[in-house]
Amino acid sequence: MPDTSQHFLIRTGYGCWNVMRGRQLLAGRRDLFDALTLLCYFMRLHRGATAAPAPAQPRADR
């Protein structure tokens, strides 16, 4: 069963932006732009890990 937990961006009381998936801390940054970039990266990484494998390509010599 694939992991269906979502990714979140949370601002802490210390002024840090944390990228989280469920209860797992993935990264933390002080700059919002850096945190958003990491959030997008982890979302793409997670989506690629849970995607179904691509079907085999037909051979060109047939």
Side-chain angles (χ1 to χ4, degrees), residues 39-59:
L39 178 67
C40 292
Y41 169 77
F42 284 119
M43 288 173 68
R44 284 193 316 266
L45 186 67
H46 182 72
R47 192 178 317 129
T50 59
Q57 298 295 323
R59 291 178 45 163

Side-chain angles (χ1 to χ4, degrees), residues 3-44:
D3 182 12
T4 58
S5 60
Q6 297 179 353
H7 292 79
F8 299 97
L9 184 63
I10 299 172
R11 182 164 162 78
T12 66
Y14 302 107
C16 185
W17 294 93
N18 289 336
V19 179
M20 301 185 75
R21 185 176 72 223
R23 293 184 176 189
Q24 179 184 12
L25 174 64
L26 300 176
R29 293 292 187 268
R30 289 214 174 264
D31 183 27
L32 177 60
F33 181 76
D34 288 344
L36 287 171
T37 303
L38 281 173
L39 178 67
C40 292
Y41 169 77
F42 284 119
M43 288 173 68
R44 284 193 316 266

